[in-house]
Amino acid sequence: MLTLLLIFFPLAAALVLFLFRPQQAKIIALAAALIELVLSLVVVAQFNKAEGPQFEVNVPWITSMGLNFAVAIDGISLLLVLLTTVLVPFIILSSFSHTYDKPSSFYGLILTMQMALVGVFVARDGLLFYLFWEVALIPIYFICLIWGGEDRGRITFKFFVYTLAGSLFMLVGLVYLYFHTPGSHTFAIDALYQAGHSLSATEQSFLFWALFVAFAIKMPVFPFHTWQPDTYTVSPVQGTMLLSGIMLKMGIYGVIRWLIPVVPGGVAQWGMTAVIISVIGIIYASCIAIVQKDFKRLIAYSSIAHVGLISAGIFTRNAIGIQGAMIQMVSHGIIVFALFYIIEIVFDRTKTRTLSELGGIRNVAPVLATVFVITMLGSVALPFTSGFVGEFLLINALFQYKAVLGAIAGVTIILGAVYMLRTFQKSMSGETNSKTASFLDLTGQEKLVLYPIVILIILIGIYPAPLLEISEAAVTNLLHSISEVTASAN
């Protein structure tokens, strides 16, 4: 019942906003998001870290197709549900200083997207997973299209086409598995796992690429990333936060839940290729970030670099790598949310995101500068910040997998320091100018958004054990099942 509440409560709140269009839409949306957060915390409190999937619901839905409404939560799901339910209230609160046209629609779309995101992370049926995956695309498309910036029509169309094309690859792969399930055909996750394991090497290779392309576009990783910088830049800041903080985690989660366990043979054959592509993306995106002039676009490219490291770590099929990916997803989500919010604050006060037009902000806004420093240090993986824990585990896993690739991937820390310190120097240091001389420091509402995020960055960096313990059993079981299949195949 808790799982169903987590999925459908945001949808119910969204329908209230769509149908009744209340005057205080933002307050209702924030209240709904906070209730959703409380529900997720109840799940955390009742969650048994040593057990497998919990809070299961499995009822027949379309019996003629063998389709069940099957959802459950394990440690891998729980971390991402928690990330979603923590970030959405902050995303809504960050919008309180803005007045959006059609606020009921705006906040209703955010809550609808939250519903779909939670559904993706708890689905235990292949087609149900696909349906939630597609539903998540609809609200973010309209958020970007209606409230986005200049040239939003062309850019959001490209984003829609890219992600829809990737989704079709995934659908083909899932349907192919469906017709190879043992006995009567079904989309149940365990049956799809069995179907994938029984396929020939050629079939597993085909399925690997069908699923990998779908997930790689969503993350995105090089060379499937070209939709991302423009979309992040033109979207309203809340849309960018949803895309970067949570939605890209759908692709990473898909690799962990629906690619590696389904076609372990295909991953064994093509995993090295995926790691190399991901590592190339790390260096490529970091170098592009260094030369960016637009603050928001710079962080967009930095996100590609961070996701590339997560992807590379996952394909090592190492417990350290997958655990590192799990905690890095949480860390990246909260850090990139804070960075994009800081960018929006700077833009609201100066009407520019061009770094060369900024400068001296720390002289007039020391609190904002301090928050930016802490967030920046988390992004460059300074010890005792959340970013360090995940990156250390991921690079460690890559060194164990292939030392050369680990060494190359480790360069991301140096490159990240270069572009983030350069950004701080150009925006915060130096003397003020006509655009920054009257810059106001953080307001009470802005502190209410950013202070808890800063606390999380430090707290996770100092004591990451609770998050690692949540996902540990699920990661161990996942890798154990893969090793059993690999051993029996040999």
Side-chain angles (χ1 to χ4, degrees):
M1 182 58 70
L2 273 174
T3 309
L4 293 179
L5 277 174
L6 279 171
I7 297 170
F8 291 114
F9 177 75
L11 180 61
L15 289 174
V16 169
L17 294 176
F18 288 139
L19 295 175
F20 297 101
R21 303 196 173 277
Q23 292 293 321
Q24 297 299 321
K26 63 175 68 174
I27 301 295
I28 294 171
L30 179 61
L34 290 172
I35 293 171
E36 179 80 349
L37 174 58
V38 171
L39 290 173
S40 70
L41 293 176
V42 171
V43 171
V44 171
Q46 297 182 12
F47 186 76
N48 188 330
K49 298 173 184 176
E51 293 185 5
Q54 299 160 54
F55 310 100
E56 293 184 72
V57 176
N58 191 348
V59 295
W61 189 16
I62 305 176
T63 54
S64 60
M65 293 179 57
L67 179 60
N68 283 16
F69 192 94
V71 293
I73 299 174
D74 66 0
I76 296 171
S77 301
L78 182 55
L79 277 186
L80 293 169
V81 169
L82 196 57
L83 174 65
T84 304
T85 58
V86 167
L87 281 188
V88 169
F90 286 114
I91 290 171
I92 293 171
L93 184 58
S94 72
S95 71
F96 274 32
S97 58
H98 293 268
T99 301
Y100 288 104
D101 293 333
K102 304 175 182 177
S104 294
S105 298
F106 181 76
Y107 294 106
L109 288 170
I110 291 176
L111 292 175
T112 302
M113 187 168 179
Q114 183 180 31
M115 175 276 298
L117 289 165
V118 172
V120 165
F121 298 138
V122 302
R124 306 288 292 185
D125 179 278
L127 190 59
L128 185 64
F129 169 79
Y130 173 80
L131 293 174
F132 279 123
W133 178 282
E134 289 296 273
V135 170
L137 175 61
I138 297 170
I140 194 63
Y141 170 75
F142 284 109
I143 288 171
C144 298
L145 180 64
I146 298 172
W147 293 278
E150 186 179 350
D151 203 19
R152 60 185 181 271
R154 179 187 64 83
I155 291 170
T156 52
F157 179 74
K158 179 180 178 181
F159 160 61
F160 187 85
V161 170
Y162 251 84
T163 52
L164 185 61
S167 300
L168 291 176
F169 278 105
M170 177 169 61
L171 180 60
V172 169
L174 291 173
V175 171
Y176 191 86
L177 284 168
Y178 169 79
F179 285 111
H180 286 79
T181 51
S184 57
H185 298 315
T186 176
F187 282 101
I189 188 168
D190 292 332
L192 294 183
Y193 283 4
Q194 291 180 40
H197 301 165
S198 67
L199 297 176
S200 67
T202 302
E203 290 173 311
Q204 288 211 25
S205 294
F206 158 72
L207 276 174
F208 172 87
W209 285 107
L211 296 174
F212 177 72
V213 168
F215 300 141
I217 289 172
K218 190 71 76 176
M219 289 191 264
V221 294
F222 175 89
F224 307 99
H225 68 285
T226 57
W227 64 267
Q228 190 252 45
D230 287 339
T231 306
Y232 280 24
T233 303
V234 78
S235 299
V237 67
Q238 285 72 36
T240 308
M241 291 169 177
L242 286 167
L243 283 165
S244 59
I246 312 172
M247 191 172 181
L248 70 80
K249 283 36 175 211
M250 288 167 50
I252 302 169
Y253 175 81
V255 171
I256 296 173
R257 177 75 73 203
W258 296 96
L259 176 56
I260 292 178
V262 169
V263 285
V267 174
Q269 182 176 356
W270 295 104
M272 175 68 80
T273 303
V275 172
I276 291 171
I277 288 173
S278 300
V279 170
I280 291 172
I282 294 170
I283 305 301
Y284 164 81
S286 297
C287 291
I288 297 296
I290 290 172
V291 299
Q292 289 303 304
K293 299 177 181 179
D294 184 286
F295 201 163
K296 197 175 185 183
R297 199 173 184 85
L298 185 151
I299 300 303
Y301 275 105
S302 79
S303 183
I304 297 173
H306 286 292
V307 171
L309 182 58
I310 295 172
S311 174
I314 291 170
F315 279 105
T316 64
R317 289 165 291 154
N318 181 309
I320 295 173
I322 297 180
Q323 279 284 74
M326 294 305 306
I327 198 163
Q328 189 67 354
M329 279 195 279
V330 174
S331 173
H332 176 266
I334 60 176
I335 287 172
V336 79
F337 161 81
L339 288 172
F340 279 122
Y341 189 45
I342 290 168
I343 292 168
E344 185 67 8
I345 291 170
V346 171
F347 181 76
D348 281 346
R349 288 162 171 65
T350 64
K351 305 306 177 188
T352 183
R353 292 195 304 259
T354 304
L355 292 171
S356 60
E357 296 178 1
L358 301 172
I361 292 177
R362 71 174 182 177
N363 300 327
V364 290
V367 177
L368 173 64
T370 302
V371 170
F372 182 42
V373 166
I374 296 172
T375 309
M376 174 187 71
L377 294 177
S379 179
V380 301
L382 188 79
F384 301 111
T385 65
S386 60
F388 173 78
V389 181
E391 290 209 7
F392 176 78
L393 293 175
L394 290 165
I395 293 173
N396 188 345
L398 278 169
F399 264 104
Q400 293 183 32
Y401 181 74
K402 198 78 171 176
V404 173
L405 291 173
I408 296 172
V411 175
T412 185
I413 296 176
I414 300 171
L415 296 176
V418 170
Y419 61 70
M420 290 306 298
L421 289 171
R422 170 181 171 271
T423 302
F424 181 83
Q425 181 182 24
K426 286 184 173 292
S427 62
M428 301 289 164
S429 298
E431 299 298 324
T432 57
N433 55 39
S434 59
K435 292 182 181 294
T436 59
S438 59
F439 196 101
L440 298 177
D441 212 340
L442 293 180
T443 65
Q445 177 252 326
E446 290 163 351
K447 291 177 181 178
L448 193 60
V449 174
L450 287 171
Y451 281 8
I453 298 298
V454 167
I455 291 169
L456 284 175
I457 290 170
I458 296 171
L459 189 60
I460 295 171
I462 294 173
Y463 189 54
L467 296 181
L468 292 171
E469 289 170 0
I470 286 174
S471 60
E472 183 178 10
V475 170
T476 302
N477 292 338
L478 179 77
L479 293 174
H480 179 68
S481 64
I482 294 170
S483 64
E484 284 186 342
V485 173
T486 305
S488 63
N490 295 332

